[in-house]
Amino acid sequence: MVTSQARLSWEESGAGMTLRLGGRLDAHTVSDIWNEALNGLGAHTRRPVRIDTAEVEYCDGAGVALLIDLLRQPRSPEAGVSLGETPEPVQRMLAPFQAQDFADGFEASRPVRPGLRRRLANGLYELGLHLHQQVAFIGEATAALVHAARHPRQVRWRDALDIAQEAG
């Protein structure tokens, strides 16, 4: 059983603040420090913060999510958050992700309303599709009735009447 926990500490330096993370950053341990890290960022809004992960022993997807969340927090340009010393395994885990890709500030684009010609074409297509489905249903129902009339002993009439009554 692994007993190592995630560790978090803040250090003040002349250039700003350093957030030191250590231990195991995994799905079982990051929840213990996530809010504390966010609160620390909120307490130091006017100073740049460097995240030092040199003492991280293990990092999984939850640890990467914590780091990305810390890096994407909205801050002024002079008080940004950056990664400092990072072990090779953590760098490999972070490589596919950019904090900017997860920003909350994007605006959803307005849906483009199709032109009249496109709306008419779509309407006609849907009308044709529904007509085809109705004709197919009527054809299958007629074929089933003809088969039942030719072979009345193959039909379970009690079940058919129960279903007809249930359908009402």
Side-chain angles (χ1 to χ4, degrees):
M1 184 168 140
V2 179
T3 58
S4 179
Q5 296 293 314
R7 296 184 305 276
L8 174 144
S9 64
W10 288 93
E11 294 178 14
E12 191 168 351
S13 65
M17 299 298 294
T18 300
L19 169 59
R20 293 199 189 284
L21 297 174
R24 291 181 62 88
L25 298 181
D26 62 21
H28 302 287
T29 62
V30 295
S31 62
D32 298 336
I33 63 168
W34 202 309
N35 283 335
E36 186 180 345
L38 288 174
N39 291 338
L41 282 179
H44 304 290
T45 57
R46 301 203 191 292
R47 302 187 70 188
V49 174
R50 193 178 114 244
I51 302 172
D52 185 344
T53 58
E55 297 175 10
V56 170
E57 300 162 8
Y58 175 81
C59 182
D60 69 3
V64 170
L66 168 66
L67 293 172
I68 293 294
D69 191 36
L70 295 174
L71 290 168
R72 75 175 186 89
Q73 293 301 310
R75 297 172 65 87
S76 62
E78 65 274 359
V81 179
S82 63
L83 272 178
E85 206 172 321
T86 306
E88 178 64 29
V90 177
Q91 286 178 7
R92 282 195 313 269
M93 293 283 293
L94 284 170
F97 306 103
Q98 295 296 322
Q100 305 88 302
D101 295 343
F102 300 98
D104 288 336
F106 72 91
E107 278 187 41
S109 61
R110 260 187 22 202
V112 177
R113 188 172 177 195
L116 179 62
R117 188 179 293 175
R118 174 60 65 186
R119 288 188 308 218
L120 283 173
N122 289 342
L124 287 173
Y125 172 77
E126 288 181 24
L127 177 65
L129 183 65
H130 292 298
L131 284 174
H132 177 269
Q133 290 171 343
Q134 288 178 358
V135 169
F137 173 76
I138 291 170
E140 289 175 16
T142 303
L145 284 173
V146 168
H147 179 77
R150 286 188 178 166
H151 309 287
R153 292 182 191 249
Q154 291 181 351
V155 177
R156 297 185 304 205
W157 291 107
R158 180 178 279 310
D159 292 341
L161 291 174
D162 287 343
I163 291 171
Q165 184 178 3
E166 189 77 27

